[in-house]
Amino acid sequence: MAKISFIDEVKVFVKAGDGGDGRVGFRREKFIPKGGPNGGDGGRGGDIIIEGSHHSSSLQDYRFKKHFRAKNGEHGGTWQKTGANGESIVLRVPPGTIIKAEDGETLVGEIMADQERLVLEKGGKGGLGNMHFTSSTNQAPRRATEGQKREGRWIVLELKILSDLGLVGFPNAGKSTFLSTVTKAKPKIANYPFTTLSPKIGVHREGESELLIADIPGIVEDAHLGTGLGLQFLRHIQRTSFLLYVLNGDPLESKDPFDQYQALFRELEHFDRQLVTRPSKVVINKMDLLSSEQRKKIQSRFAEKNLDIFFISCKTNLHVDALMQSIHETFLQR
Ligand SMILES: Nc1nc2c(ncn2[C@@H]2O[C@H](COP(=O)(O)OP(=O)(O)OP(=O)(O)O)[C@@H](O)[C@H]2O)c(=O)[nH]1
Ligand SMILES: [Mg+2]
């Protein structure tokens, strides 16, 4: 089971590399007393890059090592040789990491996907060697420019919501009702779509074992095209270890639970393929509105795809305790 922490936050110091200086130099060859200028340019300093990685799941690493300085560019050499570029540093962070300025408020950027990259600090440009400064009046310039210096700065890396169980479902399916039934959280519940506008967290305890449950806004078909509230808030459940599909069993609902499930699955897949590979359970809520005939029909559609389902009613508290117990057991076995 994931250890509970609501916000993972670290402060780190980053500095891009300075550019190398340009060089002042002259050709010195036997029998050529006054060679022309041949000082090379300085190399570019290394960048500080932040990159999303599925292999990293927390910001723990940055609690120990906090200073990151990319290499400076080398100075220019003789014979027009450009100095080597400084090596960049890549800081790997879990998707869902938000980058803020030192004040902890100003947003600098965010990394939401595996391999997504952000050049946080660009390395300094190299200076120019004296070979660039020859002119008709000055054949032996002693001028070269310095590489650009880079100042470092502190940044804050923040990773939101590490939870065990993420609730996904169409609007009005009863996700928030579920959260309020099994935890002490008091999310807004109402009989219209998009009641929940931002994620809410609750804790469910069963003996020694604790589960952090994240309730998020409803998802609709084509959310990836911006329909409904879109999909951006899915980043809040990108780090849950388990998904609970909460489907609306109300027979008056235009999509039956199986169609809801398929549409949800497609939307999650669109957002991040990893999401749908996560362990999950499927529940049909509002079973109090279903006749046993209707239940059988729903059951058979899922059975065709070898999917187990749970019928529950958050309103009348039917099968909810049994469901939670089985979820805890699943976690304990991991
Ligand atoms: N009959 C019945 N109604 C329920 C049940 N669970 C929830 N409802 C009702 O369904 C409506 C929607 O519930 P919410 O919990 O707000 O639904 P939601 O999935 O959080 O909706 P969004 O936040 O809009 O995505 C409310 O009127 C609830 O009272 C249930 O088990 N049976
Ligand atoms: Mg809700």
Side-chain angles (χ1 to χ4, degrees), residues 15-271:
K15 183 189 169 297
D18 298 334
D21 296 340
R23 182 174 182 110
V24 175
F26 297 95
R27 279 204 296 275
R28 297 261 180 270
E29 285 170 84
K30 255 185 186 170
F31 314 119
I32 306 177
K34 258 195 172 173
N38 72 349
D41 301 338
R44 166 182 271 292
D47 301 333
I48 299 281
I49 296 165
I50 302 214
E51 185 182 82
S53 163
H54 273 313
H55 299 295
S56 105
S57 62
S58 80
L59 298 170
Q60 282 304 315
D61 289 351
Y62 300 106
R63 296 209 182 280
F64 306 105
K65 181 166 167 45
K66 286 185 179 296
H67 291 82
F68 298 91
R69 292 184 170 83
K71 284 258 165 44
N72 296 336
E74 282 179 10
H75 299 321
T78 49
W79 298 107
Q80 309 190 357
K81 191 168 174 251
T82 303
N85 292 337
E87 209 176 305
S88 297
I89 288 184
V90 180
L91 304 179
R92 298 212 158 71
V93 297
T97 299
I98 294 171
I99 302 127
K100 291 181 173 166
E102 187 176 5
D103 62 10
E105 281 177 21
T106 316
L107 189 69
V108 174
E110 51 181 29
I111 296 287
M112 290 304 154
D114 190 37
Q115 292 181 18
E116 184 180 336
R117 277 189 157 213
L118 174 76
V119 179
L120 191 61
E121 298 281 305
K122 257 198 135 8
K125 284 195 185 120
L128 297 174
N130 70 336
M131 61 181 187
H132 295 282
F133 296 99
T134 332
S135 67
S136 55
T137 52
N138 189 354
Q139 294 293 315
R142 302 208 57 83
R143 185 173 156 215
T145 58
E146 282 187 358
Q148 273 179 345
K149 300 281 178 283
R150 283 286 177 245
E151 276 183 17
R153 64 162 162 163
W154 287 91
I155 53 159
V156 176
L157 300 177
E158 192 182 291
L159 187 58
K160 284 248 173 70
I161 306 182
L162 170 69
S163 58
D164 299 305
L165 191 63
L167 307 181
V168 289
F170 271 54
N172 231 17
K175 300 176 294 299
S176 301
T177 311
F178 179 81
L179 186 76
S180 73
T181 308
V182 302
T183 75
K184 288 193 181 119
K186 301 218 171 349
K188 188 169 169 194
I189 293 167
N191 193 12
Y192 54 81
F194 305 117
T195 305
T196 303
L197 295 173
S198 60
K200 299 279 175 303
I201 292 279
V203 184
H204 181 262
R205 294 197 174 81
E206 181 116 357
E208 290 287 282
S209 149
E210 278 186 342
L211 284 180
L212 214 60
I213 304 175
D215 173 28
I216 60 169
I219 299 163
V220 291
E221 193 157 27
D222 287 339
H224 70 278
L225 301 174
T227 312
L229 296 180
L231 287 177
Q232 263 314 299
F233 54 80
L234 279 181
R235 67 192 156 89
H236 294 284
I237 57 155
Q238 247 173 343
R239 304 181 57 249
T240 61
S241 29
F242 200 99
L243 291 183
L244 194 66
Y245 290 90
V246 182
L247 309 177
N248 195 342
D250 186 341
L252 297 177
E253 194 60 23
S254 61
K255 268 191 192 307
D256 87 344
F258 188 74
D259 290 342
Q260 291 172 40
Y261 174 78
Q262 282 196 312
L264 285 169
F265 192 93
R266 276 196 297 268
E267 294 302 321
L268 296 187
E269 205 175 22
H270 245 285
F271 183 75

